[in-house]
Amino acid sequence: LLKDDSYISYRQAAEQFARVVEAKKAISPFPDDGKKAAAEQARFLGYLTIVEDMPAFLPQLQAALALAPGGDEVSVAVAAAAAAYADGKFDAGFDGLKPFADPARSLPPGRLTEVLTWQALGLRGKGDFDGAMKKLDEALQSDLKSVLALSLQASLLAASGALEAALEFVDKVFAV
C-alpha cells in the first residue's frame, strides 16, 4: 500500500486495519493478529496525521497505538514517532526510530527507507532542514523510487531556494 503514497491509500489502509482491530477486540485477551493489525492501523494513521498534515487523525492514532504493542516493531516505531511529532516532541520520535536505522539491523530496503524518511520528517519538524535533506539522501540510497522521500526532498530544496534541484526531484517523482 505504501507504493502509492497518497491520502487515499493511507486512508484506505487505516480503515482496512481498523475493521480487523474492531473484530479482534471481541476476543480476550487481545490476540497477536489484532496487535499486528493495530500496529499497521496506527502506522497509516501516522501518515495521515503527519505526512498529510491532518491532526484530526491523532486521537485515532493514539487509540490504535495503545493496542499495538506486540505488533510489527517498525510499524509501532513509525506510529509512535508520528504521535511524538504531532505533540512537538521531535527528538523523542527521532530517537525511537534510531534502532531501526542502525545498519546492523539490516532492514529490507523499503522498511529502511520508511524509517529514514520518518527521521527526516522529525528533523524537518524541528527546523533542521539540512539534517532532513541528508536523512532523505540516505533514504533514497536505500530506495531510489520512494515517492514520499523524493517529494519531501523536492519540497525542502524548493524551500531552501534550490529551485532547479527541486525540479529535478519533481521529475523523479513523475518518473516513478
Side-chain angles (χ1 to χ4, degrees):
L1 289 169
L2 278 178
K3 291 202 182 276
D4 182 23
D5 285 305
S6 69
Y7 167 81
I8 293 170
S9 63
Y10 301 149
R11 180 76 186 251
Q12 288 174 342
E15 289 172 354
Q16 174 185 348
F17 286 111
R19 286 189 291 276
V20 174
V21 169
E22 284 305 311
K24 298 298 177 176
K25 281 182 182 178
I27 302 169
S28 182
F30 193 58
D32 288 343
D33 57 347
K35 294 172 185 178
K36 290 175 185 175
E40 295 307 315
Q41 177 192 14
R43 174 176 166 233
F44 285 106
L45 288 166
Y47 277 89
L48 289 165
T49 303
I50 301 301
V51 175
E52 297 293 332
D53 194 22
M54 302 181 120
F57 287 101
L58 184 57
Q60 293 173 29
L61 165 60
Q62 292 167 330
L65 199 50
L67 297 171
D72 178 75
E73 289 181 301
V74 175
S75 296
V76 172
V78 165
Y85 296 165
D87 199 26
K89 297 177 182 171
F90 299 105
D91 289 331
F94 183 94
D95 289 346
L97 294 165
K98 274 185 184 177
F100 302 100
D102 183 344
R105 187 83 179 216
S106 62
L107 287 177
R111 293 310 300 263
L112 178 59
T113 299
E114 181 177 17
V115 167
L116 295 170
T117 300
W118 274 92
Q119 285 186 313
L121 286 164
L123 292 167
R124 180 189 73 173
K126 69 182 215 172
D128 182 357
F129 301 124
D130 289 337
M133 286 193 281
K134 288 177 186 170
K135 198 55 74 172
L136 288 168
D137 285 341
E138 286 181 53
L140 290 167
Q141 288 174 16
S142 179
D143 180 1
L144 292 170
K145 294 183 178 189
S146 169
V147 172
L148 180 56
L150 290 166
S151 299
L152 289 170
Q153 192 73 300
S155 72
L156 286 168
L157 287 165
S160 74
L163 297 180
E164 287 294 320
L167 288 174
E168 289 177 26
F169 277 90
V170 169
D171 288 340
K172 291 176 183 180
V173 169
F174 288 123
V176 172

